[in-house]
């Protein structure tokens, strides 16, 4: 098995026709204060110019041909869970972080999540608070109100609830090696089941109350296909 690189964060992005949002997403990762990272982009057979956008961004940032960005083009659409798990398998880092292609992260996101996991060895996965926004000339950021913290997290899932935003999570690579990736059995709730797998395997999870992620609301976002609420 591939040896994980100590301290490295592997950021996994799955993309399907999110070309217009990729630059802001990638720029936010390039600006991270945490340096030891790699970006893994799994393009799920997009039909727009997403791949061209990524390649042009790599050229513009002087990282084309380096191992700091891994671009995988799936030959056919594998769906969210298939693309995400592909990225997890390619991750070399001690830590694996998720980033949605149409969102962006706070510059200190990775630094704070790594520090949390380093300071809490009993925790296998940590999410963060986030703010949602709609496109416009002046963005208004609305903090999430549905997340829970501490002991309330496990209680929420025991009651069938959900209180961790999948796009914000970072987890230990060894946890993925142990429990595997996302299921394809529950379309639309793959992220929910993935978090529950941690709890079912007696792994602790947590949330950081700081807003370290920015969630874009738009008419083509994946969640609207399964949920009527924007958040």
């Amino acid at each position: 098995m591939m040896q994980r690189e100590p301290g490295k964060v592997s950021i996994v992005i799955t993309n399907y026709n999110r070309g217009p949002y990729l630059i802001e997403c990638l720029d936010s990762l390039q600006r991270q204060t945490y340096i030891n990272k790699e970006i893994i982009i799994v393009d799920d057979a997009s039909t727009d110019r997403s791949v061209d956008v990524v390649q042009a961004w790599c050229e513009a940032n002087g990282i084309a041909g380096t191992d700091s960005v891994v671009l995988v083009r799936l030959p056919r659409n594998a769906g969210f869970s298939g693309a995400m798990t592909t990225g997890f398998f390619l991750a070399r880092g001690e830590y694996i972080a998720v980033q949605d292609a149409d969102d962006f992260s706070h510059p200190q996101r990775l630094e704070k999540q790594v520090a949390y996991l380093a300071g809490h060895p009993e925790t296998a996965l940590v999410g963060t608070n986030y703010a949602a926004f709609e496109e416009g000339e002046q963005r208004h950021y609305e903090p999430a109100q549905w997340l829970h913290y501490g002991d309330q997290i496990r209680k929420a899932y025991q009651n069938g609830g959900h209180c961790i935003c999948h796009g914000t999570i970072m987890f230990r690579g060894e946890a993925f090696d142990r429990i595997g990736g996302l299921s394809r059995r529950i379309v639309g709730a793959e992220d929910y089941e993935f978090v529950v797998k941690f709890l079912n395997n007696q792994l602790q999870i947590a949330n950081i109350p700081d807003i370290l992620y920015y969630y874009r609301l738009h008419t083509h976002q994946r969640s609207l296909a399964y949920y009527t609420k924007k958040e």
Side-chain angles (χ1 to χ4, degrees), residues 51-65:
V51 171
D52 294 336
V53 170
V54 173
Q55 292 174 335
W57 182 85
C58 290
E59 291 283 353
N61 284 272
I63 54 178

Side-chain angles (χ1 to χ4, degrees), residues 2-10 34 36-38 67-68 90-96 173-174 177:
M2 175 184 62
Q3 294 297 312
R4 297 202 170 276
E5 297 186 25
K8 181 180 284 293
V9 176
S10 299
Y34 192 83
N36 189 6
K37 62 182 182 293
E38 65 174 352
D67 60 0
S68 59
L90 293 172
R92 298 176 298 169
E94 178 182 0
Y95 308 108
I96 301 175
E174 63 183 11
D177 297 337

Side-chain angles (χ1 to χ4, degrees), residues 150-168:
D151 295 337
Q152 295 302 314
I153 293 177
R154 185 173 289 272
K155 291 180 181 179
Y157 284 97
Q158 287 174 339
N159 293 326
H162 193 20
C163 62
I164 288 184
C165 175
H166 184 257
T168 73

